[in-house]
Amino acid sequence: MKNALTIIPLRVVFQIIKYGKMGRQTTLKIGVHELKLRFWLIDINYQIINREPNILMWGVSESGERVLVVDRRFRPYFYVVPRKGVDIEMLKAKIMKLNNVRSPILSLEAVEKKYYGKPIKVLKLVTLMPDQVPAYREAIKNIPEVEDCLEADIRFYMRYLIDNDVQPSGWNEAEVVEHPSPLKASVDKQYILTGNIRRVESSILPQLKTVSFDIEVLNPLGNPRPEKDPIIIVSVVADGKSKVQFIADGNDDKPVIKSFVEFIRKLDPDIIAGYNSNGFDWPYLVSRGKHVGIKINVNRFGGEPHPSVYGHISIIGRANVDLYDFAEELTEVKVKSLENVADYLGVMEKDKRILIDWTEMAEYWNDPSKRPIFIKYAMQDAESTQGLAEKFIPFGIQLSSLTGLPLDQVVAAAVGFRVEWFLMREAYKQNELVPNRIERPYSTYKGAIVLEPKRGMHENIAVLDFTSMYPSIMIKYNISPDTYVGTDENIPEHMVWKAPEVGHKFLKSPPGFFTRVLKALIELRAKLKEDLKRLSPDSPEYRVIDERQRAVKVLTNAMYGYLGWTGARWYCKPAAEAITAWGRELITKAIDIARGLGLKVIYGDTDSLFVSYVPGKIDELIRLVREELGFEIKVDKVYKRVFFTEAKKRYCGLLIDGKVDIVGFEAVRGDWAEIAKEVQERVVNILLREGSVEKAVEYVKGVVDDVRNHKLPLSKLIIWKTLSKKLSEYEVEAPHVAAARKIVERGGKISAGEKIGYVIVKGSGKLSNRAYPYFMVKMEDIDSEYYIDRQIIPAVLRILGYFGVTEKTLRLGREPSKQRTLFDFFASGRKK
DNA sequence: GCCTTGAAGTTACCG
DNA sequence: ACCGGTAACTTCAAGGCG
């Protein structure tokens, strides 16, 4: 069955083939068999061939062949919106005067579209070459009768995907013939589209050839220079198992680069995965290649990787995926090194692998006895990368087919752009025009409510939350840019929903663009979840559909934020503002209902409420919220004990299943020293599980002692902070900025977005002066008192302070009289 | 000139 | 380059004092 014929001869069509050099073309009409080809789309681009734009779709056929499907027929276009009252035929004539042989207007027709839900007649201008679109736009938008030009900034191949409903990272069916004049491309078969192309729904993935790789550069200062520093090792994992390494002989890396390039060309992978490969490996390979005279011609056209949209590197015909892009969304991992992420995901345990800091690399490489360890380390990096690829790429594939962005782009694109491409596809299907992206000043609006927590230890607390609060609000009140009723519009009150506090109005009907999209997304997710129930959790389809429902969820939840993003095409501040206003009203009313039932409300944030766990009353609360407010609320979790300080957004609790939750505190932040986080976590555990303040205090004292005596690894003292902008842009010399400068002074390279790991050394004056990059410092230089006074004690007192523990106690000795047991502090349930 | 204080700058979290 | 709300740290400059 696997080798079943997938290319079915359909009918004989007449194919017009042009050949010959420019200006001397001969046309030939021949009969060829048209076939129906099913292929999974990996990448798409376009190329001008014979003075025509050709859409090139790179994919895998059902029978596992690499295919290139070419469509020569598609032409770029955009819309011209006439000003009110302008005669469209007159405008058409005026625009046609711009027509010329060099950039011909292929057609200019009036079409009926909708713009923000309103019917509108616009002109659709079709040109020959994609680059003529912006040229015509610039010329036309200044015509006095023209209101605006729309959709003139959509990349040609994206236009193609949208208009033909072709899905990247998914199956498509195309009516094709074998390409009469195949291009020089590394594929098994080439076809040319003669009929239709359409998407095919399927939860089966093709066998994709995947390669994971990692390069090692000998860099003495942490600042690899392509003119000098060789690529000493390239490690590769092919198809999830075969491991290959290219290792330099001495410092000559020419053979390494050359054989790696040959290897890729020969293996011809569909997906190439790296870790920070957009930021480092590919750019370095290309510039180093340039320096030593080797072309990194690894794309399916025999060309080099090149920088493309969203800061990613494009390799034509393949999906070049930088797994770091996924890691960025893993908020649990604070320092996103490959080994940390792999460890977190269970791909490769950190303490069971070789770790070599870049500072030690030269030493390992130059010492013949240590070099094998270094080589093994490099291989482990590629293996970790491969492990990450297996964890992340299935989700990326679903995001890609859902949003319509090619895999390599969707991974690199920010959330806002993913939402936007999804919306643009929907807009096309619904005959809606896409608004232009315009530059707007940043603008704020009021957000959610956060309740003042009831300080102290509470027992038996349920956490209730609204199910998808913002999407539900959007659907219920039909909030969308096209249903928004401006203050100058006169619409009867009964026809609109009016937001509390802010007073923004939205038409009750018809359903707006966002409402329709959200309903469809929510229905789709429900359907996918149903499908999951019918599948075995170990089946490949289960994984595919599960990742798909996750992708749908992510998109649904980002819809509100998108409306409030000033960079959004469908930006609509009143809509975003109304959503949060209704959200505030909702939670306030829910609190009132809870209190009315006699439930104590301990805390709440945006869409959640912490209330005393009285099952009967909770059920009643859920019912009342459903019936009186029209929203769904559910019990998310139940705490046996939960502890709040006076601070919002910070609490810790013991769940009924025995798990300890820490929210917001230092222990879950990435910018505190590991030792402080570790101690705080342990203290929280002792307190919540055992209820012993004394035990916690004793434990802290022990650690304080260890720190004083330097009885811990330096790594636990490193404070990691992101350098969010260029060094020159800082107004204040913060410690991590000062540490970063010290790296630069030493010859290292630091760029915006990097995490700086620093420690505080002994001395006087500003902290910044005493902040040094961790690799420049020895344990004996460490200022232990800083770590005790400004890291461990504050983190610990945040919790223990409530129980009467003082700084003095922790530093010097105990004050038993002042300490009470945990059970003296229950703020509820004990004093009847 | 020294010390206190509060504003400003900065980061990372919560939902 | 999805939102606002929030805690907490360090720096920095202004203001008070002598």
Side-chain angles (χ1 to χ4, degrees):
Chain A
M1 280 312 283
K2 218 183 156 196
N3 294 320
L5 193 65
T6 54
I7 300 163
I8 310 140
L10 278 182
R11 60 191 161 110
V12 172
V13 293
F14 288 100
Q15 171 69 20
I16 294 169
I17 296 164
K18 289 177 183 170
Y19 64 90
K21 283 191 178 144
M22 295 191 303
R24 282 168 181 261
Q25 284 189 348
T26 310
T27 313
L28 196 73
K29 202 173 177 187
I30 54 162
V32 267
H33 280 289
E34 188 177 78
L35 320 158
K36 211 167 235 182
L37 171 75
R38 270 195 187 192
F39 70 102
W40 198 91
L41 182 60
I42 297 166
D43 189 31
I44 182 166
N45 68 317
Y46 81 90
Q47 200 169 49
I48 309 294
I49 300 169
N50 288 333
R51 310 174 106 194
E52 276 182 348
N54 283 220
I55 290 287
L56 309 182
M57 286 175 278
W58 307 82
V60 186
S61 75
E62 271 184 312
S63 53
E65 287 174 315
R66 268 62 206 166
V67 295
L68 172 59
V69 181
V70 179
D71 196 340
R72 295 169 165 174
R73 306 161 306 177
F74 193 65
R75 295 294 175 263
Y77 69 86
F78 67 100
Y79 298 105
V80 182
V81 184
R83 275 195 205 280
K84 234 184 180 162
V86 168
D87 179 71
I88 206 152
E89 289 306 314
M90 185 279 288
L91 179 58
K92 196 172 149 180
K94 200 164 180 179
I95 292 172
M96 276 318 276
K97 284 186 190 150
L98 300 170
N99 193 15
N100 63 81
V101 193
R102 275 177 179 277
S103 28
I105 295 175
L106 300 183
S107 78
L108 183 63
E109 295 300 328
V111 289
E112 303 282 348
K113 299 282 286 185
K114 283 184 287 170
Y115 194 33
Y116 286 100
K118 289 200 183 97
I120 183 176
K121 203 178 235 184
V122 294
L123 288 167
K124 179 179 176 182
L125 189 154
V126 185
T127 66
L128 179 59
M129 296 295 177
D131 61 1
Q132 289 160 1
V133 165
Y136 270 113
R137 176 193 58 200
E138 290 310 304
I140 289 171
K141 75 177 186 194
N142 295 322
I143 296 176
E145 290 86 357
V146 170
E147 177 72 41
D148 212 350
C149 292
L150 294 177
E151 306 196 16
D153 57 351
I154 298 173
R155 287 186 295 281
F156 185 54
Y157 59 85
M158 287 306 294
R159 179 85 271 171
Y160 181 87
L161 292 178
I162 290 173
D163 290 24
N164 293 285
D165 199 23
V166 172
Q167 57 170 343
S169 306
W171 294 98
N172 299 280
E173 196 171 73
E175 292 162 7
V176 297
V177 296
E178 283 222 34
H179 203 305
S181 46
L183 308 167
K184 209 168 169 277
S186 63
V187 288
D188 302 313
K189 288 262 173 65
Q190 296 192 31
Y191 299 96
I192 194 152
L193 260 157
T194 44
N196 290 326
I197 179 162
R198 59 177 187 89
R199 73 159 64 202
V200 178
E201 298 305 332
S202 164
S203 49
I204 295 168
L205 293 179
Q207 283 288 326
L208 295 165
K209 272 189 272 177
T210 307
V211 154
S212 299
F213 82 111
D214 186 53
I215 71 171
E216 304 295 341
V217 176
L218 201 59
N219 58 322
L221 297 164
N223 176 16
R225 304 146 299 178
E227 328 76 59
K228 289 203 175 80
D229 305 324
I231 298 170
I232 43 180
I233 307 175
V234 180
S235 314
V236 182
V237 177
D239 281 326
K241 45 187 194 294
S242 12
K243 304 175 199 170
V244 185
Q245 279 183 297
F246 306 98
I247 300 162
D249 184 12
N251 287 359
D252 178 15
D253 59 349
K254 249 175 131 165
V256 174
I257 301 171
K258 211 170 170 176
S259 37
F260 171 63
V261 170
E262 272 164 23
F263 178 86
I264 295 290
R265 288 168 62 95
K266 184 134 185 278
L267 194 79
D268 194 25
D270 305 308
I271 297 177
I272 307 183
Y275 196 79
N276 194 26
S277 51
N278 286 337
F280 180 66
D281 302 54
W282 287 121
Y284 199 88
L285 270 162
V286 171
S287 24
R288 180 71 186 159
K290 208 160 277 165
H291 189 258
V292 298
I294 300 170
K295 270 235 173 322
I296 314 298
N297 44 3
V298 292
N299 80 25
R300 282 193 160 137
F301 253 159
E304 295 201 296
H306 65 272
S308 179
V309 284
Y310 313 123
H312 96 290
I313 304 273
S314 170
I315 298 177
I316 295 170
R318 316 188 198 279
N320 172 44
V321 175
D322 186 346
L323 301 165
Y324 184 78
D325 293 328
F326 290 100
E328 276 190 313
E329 285 162 42
L330 278 186
T331 49
E332 298 90 336
V333 184
K334 312 296 174 183
V335 181
K336 291 171 174 52
S337 58
L338 176 57
E339 65 271 14
N340 285 355
V341 175
D343 183 75
Y344 174 77
L345 293 171
V347 161
M348 190 176 285
E349 272 185 63
K350 204 174 162 181
D351 17 312
K352 287 190 186 159
R353 63 160 296 180
I354 300 160
L355 285 175
I356 297 174
D357 200 72
W358 62 265
T359 50
E360 315 163 298
M361 265 168 53
E363 180 195 332
Y364 273 81
W365 179 250
N366 295 327
D367 182 341
S369 67
K370 282 182 163 175
R371 191 180 285 194
I373 304 170
F374 184 44
I375 290 168
K376 197 166 170 196
Y377 154 81
M379 195 65 242
Q380 287 180 347
D381 270 0
E383 287 167 47
S384 297
T385 305
Q386 170 59 25
L388 259 52
E390 285 163 23
K391 294 273 178 190
F392 287 139
I393 289 179
F395 178 67
I397 285 173
Q398 293 311 318
L399 260 188
S400 166
S401 82
L402 191 65
T403 59
L405 275 167
L407 179 57
D408 56 348
Q409 291 187 27
V410 80
V411 163
V415 178
F417 292 106
R418 293 176 185 170
V419 170
E420 193 150 76
W421 282 109
F422 177 77
L423 289 172
M424 284 162 75
R425 260 185 189 245
E426 290 299 309
Y428 182 84
K429 287 187 211 160
Q430 302 183 19
N431 205 34
E432 281 277 350
L433 288 165
V434 176
N436 282 329
R437 180 180 306 289
I438 54 173
E439 222 171 304
R440 303 179 180 86
Y442 175 71
S443 155
T444 58
Y445 60 90
K446 202 166 159 193
I449 288 180
V450 187
L451 301 186
E452 208 73 55
K454 299 255 182 298
R455 201 164 165 256
M457 188 71 80
H458 307 273
E459 275 197 308
N460 299 319
I461 297 295
V463 183
L464 295 157
D465 58 29
F466 283 89
T467 34
S468 356
M469 185 195 241
Y470 286 176
S472 306
I473 289 174
M474 291 168 77
I475 289 174
K476 175 154 184 181
Y477 298 110
N478 200 24
I479 302 171
S480 179
D482 52 315
T483 55
Y484 172 60
V485 177
T487 42
D488 51 339
E489 291 175 71
N490 248 330
I491 307 267
E493 288 288 303
H494 72 275
M495 291 174 71
V496 298
W497 295 110
K498 192 171 170 189
E501 284 186 64
V502 292
H504 301 315
K505 291 183 271 188
F506 300 87
L507 288 176
K508 287 185 177 172
S509 72
F513 179 50
F514 274 59
T515 314
R516 298 192 299 269
V517 166
L518 272 173
K519 273 187 183 158
L521 279 173
I522 287 168
E523 268 166 38
L524 174 59
R525 178 138 187 266
K527 183 196 156 288
L528 293 169
K529 287 221 154 189
E530 274 306 305
D531 292 348
L532 281 183
K533 285 185 195 159
R534 283 191 275 275
L535 288 166
S536 152
D538 328 303
S539 67
E541 282 106 316
Y542 188 98
R543 175 89 196 267
V544 169
I545 294 176
D546 195 33
E547 298 290 4
R548 190 161 185 82
Q549 68 86 12
R550 271 184 58 214
V552 173
K553 184 184 174 184
V554 166
L555 220 55
T556 308
N557 291 339
M559 219 62 92
Y560 146 74
Y562 174 84
L563 278 173
W565 172 40
T566 52
R569 290 175 186 269
W570 276 278
Y571 173 68
C572 184
K573 181 171 161 179
E577 208 168 22
I579 294 163
T580 55
W582 261 303
R584 293 191 297 273
E585 184 188 60
L586 249 187
I587 192 145
T588 309
K589 284 183 173 172
I591 292 167
D592 289 344
I593 294 174
R595 289 196 177 134
L597 289 168
L599 289 167
K600 224 181 280 174
V601 179
I602 298 310
Y603 178 65
D605 183 347
T606 313
D607 62 350
S608 68
L609 283 183
F610 290 57
V611 300
S612 30
Y613 185 54
V614 186
K617 289 185 179 181
I618 300 264
D619 291 344
E620 188 63 3
L621 173 59
I622 292 170
R623 189 181 68 80
L624 287 172
V625 169
R626 183 188 302 129
E627 287 170 9
E628 290 181 9
L629 306 182
F631 284 85
E632 286 299 318
I633 191 167
K634 62 171 194 318
V635 177
D636 183 40
K637 42 192 171 183
V638 178
Y639 285 111
K640 214 179 269 176
R641 293 202 259 280
V642 61
F643 173 79
F644 283 93
T645 66
E646 60 291 323
K648 295 171 174 181
K649 296 190 183 278
R650 297 185 148 209
Y651 56 89
C652 52
L654 175 65
L655 290 161
I656 44 173
D657 66 7
K659 220 184 112 227
V660 164
D661 254 357
I662 301 181
V663 179
F665 284 119
E666 287 74 10
V668 296
R669 293 181 63 96
D671 56 352
W672 283 72
E674 185 58 38
I675 188 66
K677 302 188 347 166
E678 200 179 287
V679 174
Q680 189 187 52
E681 189 182 338
R682 185 84 193 95
V683 163
V684 164
N685 268 276
I686 294 172
L687 221 56
L688 290 172
R689 290 181 197 279
E690 304 171 43
S692 168
V693 175
E694 282 83 4
K695 194 174 167 192
V697 168
E698 284 316 305
Y699 164 72
V700 175
K701 283 179 172 177
V703 176
V704 165
D705 240 36
D706 290 348
V707 172
R708 243 185 221 127
N709 298 315
H710 295 163
K711 285 205 309 219
L712 78 172
L714 190 81
S715 61
K716 289 197 177 186
L717 301 178
I718 303 173
I719 297 163
W720 294 93
K721 268 201 167 76
T722 307
L723 195 77
S724 61
K725 45 192 173 188
K726 279 186 272 172
L727 276 178
S728 55
E729 289 165 5
Y730 278 92
E731 294 179 48
V732 174
E733 192 76 355
H736 72 299
V737 178
R741 280 193 216 288
K742 285 165 190 145
I743 296 177
V744 173
E745 279 161 28
R746 204 167 161 274
K749 193 174 172 262
I750 290 291
S751 37
E754 264 184 81
K755 280 248 197 260
I756 310 295
Y758 66 89
V759 291
I760 302 297
V761 301
K762 282 179 249 179
S764 60
K766 277 193 309 181
L767 214 50
S768 301
N769 297 130
R770 302 194 280 128
Y772 279 80
Y774 70 93
F775 50 83
M776 285 173 69
V777 175
K778 290 202 174 58
M779 197 47 150
E780 53 264 35
D781 302 323
I782 290 291
D783 180 7
S784 304
E785 295 310 305
Y786 167 81
Y787 286 92
I788 294 164
D789 290 345
R790 314 274 282 271
Q791 291 276 325
I792 296 170
I793 289 183
V796 161
L797 282 189
R798 208 85 65 203
I799 317 285
L800 291 181
Y802 176 77
F803 300 94
V805 177
T806 62
E807 186 179 342
K808 231 167 145 189
T809 317
L810 299 171
R811 285 184 63 83
L812 303 169
R814 46 168 62 179
E815 295 169 83
S817 58
K818 280 195 181 170
Q819 285 172 29
R820 288 166 284 179
T821 78
L822 174 67
F823 301 97
D824 295 328
F825 287 88
F826 284 130
S828 60
R830 289 187 62 83
K831 43 174 190 245
K832 295 175 215 159

